[in-house]
Amino acid sequence: MYTLEMQASIAKVEAARSANMATDPRRMTAEEKSALLKTYHPDYREDQFAVLNVGPNAGEKVPLELHKLLQANSRLRGAKLDLSKVDYETDVLVIGGGGAGCAAAIEANRAGASVLLVTKLRVGDANTMMAEGGIQAADKPNDSPAVHFLDAFGGGHFAAKKELLYKLVTKAPEAIAWLSELGVEFDKATDGTMITTHGGGTSRKRMHAAKDYSGAEIMRTLRDEVLNLPIQVVDFTAAIELLLDENGKAAGAVLMNMETRELLIAKAKTVILATGGAGRLHYQGFPTSNHYGATADGLVLGYRAGAKLLYADTLQYHPTGAAFPQQIFGALVTEKVRSLGAMLVNREGVAFMNPLETRDVSAASIIRECSDRGMGVSTPEGQGVWLDTPMIELKNGEGTIERRIPAMLRMFGKYGIDIRKEPILIYPTLHYQNGGLDIDANCQSTVENLFVAGEAVGGIHGRNRLMGNSLLDIIVFGRDAGKSAAAKSQSVSVGKLTLSHVKSFQHMLEEAGIATEVVSPKLLPTYNSQNRDL
């Protein structure tokens, strides 16, 4: 399976293993981290960003790939729609069928609102399903939401909106309890207490997990709850434009059946965008750990309707994406592997960083090791460094890997790699959209009656996210968005539906001299000519 170069490097890793286990590399100082990020992290590559010319964030920079979509033509350009012919009418329209969308739909239904959930793939086809390591919550005696706040605020470079982060950490224990009541099977000790571990940047063991398929377990539970409630679900149907009423308030969406291309009108008193991330835009050519539909749809829809973005220039590149074999290039190798004791080492077997640095620092360290220092291992797709997984069982006992990270064992085992005996090659993979739509403490965007939850939100985590806080935010803010949207719907009287904001945005593009053939939202990634028009 491994090349001769890889085999020679593995021998060096094995020879240095005992010494590496004896002492962890020191943590970097704040000054060292800052210098490292500015030099090596992809967010600091000025040539990979462009300044927006129109819209609520005009004058601010965003990644090139997102820039093209935010200043693109509407899919409705030239279409003739009769907005008086409504196909669906509901109190709360939820756009997105991942963890945040399902949590929102459940709580809106429980609050007595009629709920319509639409998703361009199937319920559960989302980044939530692919999350592995766990979900943070300060619910142990030696921990507190205050300590959780400090960890996350510092890890996000002190840029998080404090009111959002406060909500995230203070409602975390309640989120764990809610999930447990729904049936999520978290890892527990023999006495029934939750097993918790560290994550990068955490000062306490507060990571709750269901082995290393935590997201799949949470998504399974939420999906079943949605399907068991009187919530109308319409799958394989994408929102391609938001509808506003004559007063400029969110009032529904234009939907497109992904198979027939039929256009449908959904009228709603309130709307929740829970459309997830953007990994399938492959910023800067990076591979991604994201699911097939992660193409920043919510950012495009919200922006064209007048919703402001926050931190759209920041992305998270997970430090440990699979770099070999080619069949799983970019697939996520959960941070839990490092929290259990595996260390990152270069081709000479040298451990070059503390295994529990924050994700942005870890990713930048790996990029530096492979570029300027020339200490990467060549792979068919480029380079990588070793994640020395055999350390886990040397530190924790035989059987730990099969018991705690069985999905990782199976993923590499399919290709003849036994991670209990051999290290694995990794390199950063595009993982998370730190930025998104700006919301207030009630999850409402800058457009009235338009709520946002999950990865489409900006500001919760600042400019970097700690492990386990994304599964947490989809529950905390998904639930709150559902409650807020349901409560607001009780006093809403929807005016005449309109798409005037779409025409106005098109006019702004023309006035700015922007001529483009690109249409947005993208909906699906482009890998071949068969789906290029999507």
Side-chain angles (χ1 to χ4, degrees), residues 88-95 100-101 103-118 230-233 250-253 266-273 449-452 478-490 492 494:
Y88 301 100
E89 189 163 359
T90 188
D91 292 334
V92 179
L93 170 64
V94 180
I95 302 173
I106 291 166
E107 290 293 9
N109 171 266
R110 289 182 175 182
S114 62
V115 181
L116 170 66
L117 186 151
V118 298
I231 295 170
Q232 186 175 10
V233 175
K267 182 180 179 181
K269 296 177 179 178
T270 56
V271 179
I272 300 173
L273 282 174
N449 297 342
L450 178 63
F451 298 81
V452 194
R479 294 183 69 199
D480 267 23
K483 293 175 183 177
S484 296
K488 188 72 183 294
S489 71
Q490 295 178 9
V492 169
V494 180

Side-chain angles (χ1 to χ4, degrees), residues 316-338:
Q316 182 167 89
Y317 297 82
H318 195 291
T320 56
F324 181 84
Q326 288 172 285
Q327 296 94 325
I328 54 172
F329 180 55
L332 184 63
V333 176
T334 173
E335 192 170 304
K336 191 173 182 180
V337 175
R338 286 182 286 144

Side-chain angles (χ1 to χ4, degrees), residues 26 56 72 133 162 236 243 309 415 479:
R26 68 173 179 84
K162 293 179 181 178
F236 297 110
L243 289 168
L309 300 171
Y415 305 100
R479 294 183 69 199

Side-chain angles (χ1 to χ4, degrees), residues 46-220:
E46 292 296 331
D47 63 333
Q48 295 298 312
F49 296 84
V51 174
L52 291 166
N53 304 96
V54 299
N57 291 82
E60 298 179 17
K61 68 175 185 177
V62 295
L64 294 175
E65 297 84 354
L66 181 61
H67 185 270
K68 291 177 183 178
L69 296 178
L70 291 176
Q71 297 191 161
N73 299 308
S74 170
R75 287 182 172 274
L76 293 178
R77 189 179 186 186
K80 293 182 180 180
L81 286 174
D82 184 351
L83 300 184
S84 66
K85 294 182 178 179
V86 175
D87 298 280
Y88 301 100
E89 189 163 359
T90 188
D91 292 334
V92 179
L93 170 64
V94 180
I95 302 173
C102 286
I106 291 166
E107 290 293 9
N109 171 266
R110 289 182 175 182
S114 62
V115 181
L116 170 66
L117 186 151
V118 298
T119 178
K120 66 182 175 184
L121 296 175
R122 298 168 299 181
V123 175
D125 284 343
N127 282 346
T128 304
M129 190 73 179
M130 306 178 80
E132 295 169 349
I135 175 171
Q136 287 201 47
D139 58 1
K140 292 291 181 72
N142 70 331
D143 201 0
S144 71
V147 177
H148 188 177
F149 183 98
L150 291 174
D151 286 348
F153 196 49
H157 303 289
F158 308 99
K161 291 182 72 171
K162 293 179 181 178
E163 64 272 27
L164 301 185
L165 185 55
Y166 176 83
K167 174 175 282 190
L168 182 77
V169 301
T170 56
K171 293 199 172 185
E174 178 186 328
I176 296 294
W178 186 74
L179 289 171
S180 295
E181 289 168 6
L182 287 178
V184 172
E185 296 182 4
F186 288 110
D187 295 340
K188 295 178 181 178
T190 55
D191 64 358
T193 58
M194 295 274 192
I195 295 173
T196 52
T197 58
H198 271 300
T202 63
S203 61
R204 300 288 190 277
K205 291 183 178 181
R206 69 172 71 95
M207 203 69 56
H208 302 65
K211 294 183 170 56
D212 59 344
Y213 42 79
S214 305
E217 172 62 11
I218 289 171
M219 192 69 253
R220 174 195 68 81

Side-chain angles (χ1 to χ4, degrees), residues 147 168 215 232 239 353 431 437 461 479 482 500:
V147 177
L168 182 77
Q232 186 175 10
M353 56 162 282
H431 183 61
L437 293 163
H461 309 286
R479 294 183 69 199
S500 60

Side-chain angles (χ1 to χ4, degrees), residues 439-459:
I439 62 170
D440 62 20
N442 294 316
C443 302
Q444 187 169 241
S445 73
T446 54
V447 173
E448 190 170 351
N449 297 342
L450 178 63
F451 298 81
V452 194
E455 199 170 340
V457 174

Side-chain angles (χ1 to χ4, degrees), residues 233-378:
V233 175
V234 181
D235 54 14
F236 297 110
T237 300
I240 61 171
E241 211 65 75
L242 291 177
L243 289 168
L244 303 182
D245 69 9
E246 57 193 342
N247 301 308
K249 300 175 182 179
V254 179
L255 311 177
M256 183 181 79
N257 183 294
M258 294 291 283
E259 295 176 310
T260 67
R261 306 298 179 86
E262 179 187 8
L263 297 181
L264 304 161
I265 305 300
K267 182 180 179 181
K269 296 177 179 178
T270 56
V271 179
I272 300 173
L273 282 174
T275 51
R280 291 290 169 166
L281 297 183
H282 293 287
Y283 293 118
Q284 301 187 34
F286 271 80
T288 187
S289 62
N290 283 191
H291 82 106
Y292 192 59
T295 51
D297 295 355
L299 273 59
V300 173
L301 296 176
Y303 193 72
R304 199 137 57 209
K308 187 175 175 58
L309 300 171
L310 183 63
Y311 303 148
D313 59 323
T314 68
L315 286 302
Q316 182 167 89
Y317 297 82
H318 195 291
T320 56
F324 181 84
Q326 288 172 285
Q327 296 94 325
I328 54 172
F329 180 55
L332 184 63
V333 176
T334 173
E335 192 170 304
K336 191 173 182 180
V337 175
R338 286 182 286 144
S339 72
L340 288 172
M343 295 181 71
L344 289 160
V345 297
N346 63 26
R347 73 178 186 193
E348 297 300 314
V350 176
F352 58 89
M353 56 162 282
N354 187 287
L356 292 179
E357 293 284 9
T358 56
R359 286 178 171 178
D360 54 352
V361 170
S362 299
S365 296
I366 294 166
I367 292 170
R368 177 179 64 181
E369 204 70 14
C370 290
S371 56
D372 283 11
R373 293 182 175 177
M375 286 293 170
V377 179
S378 296

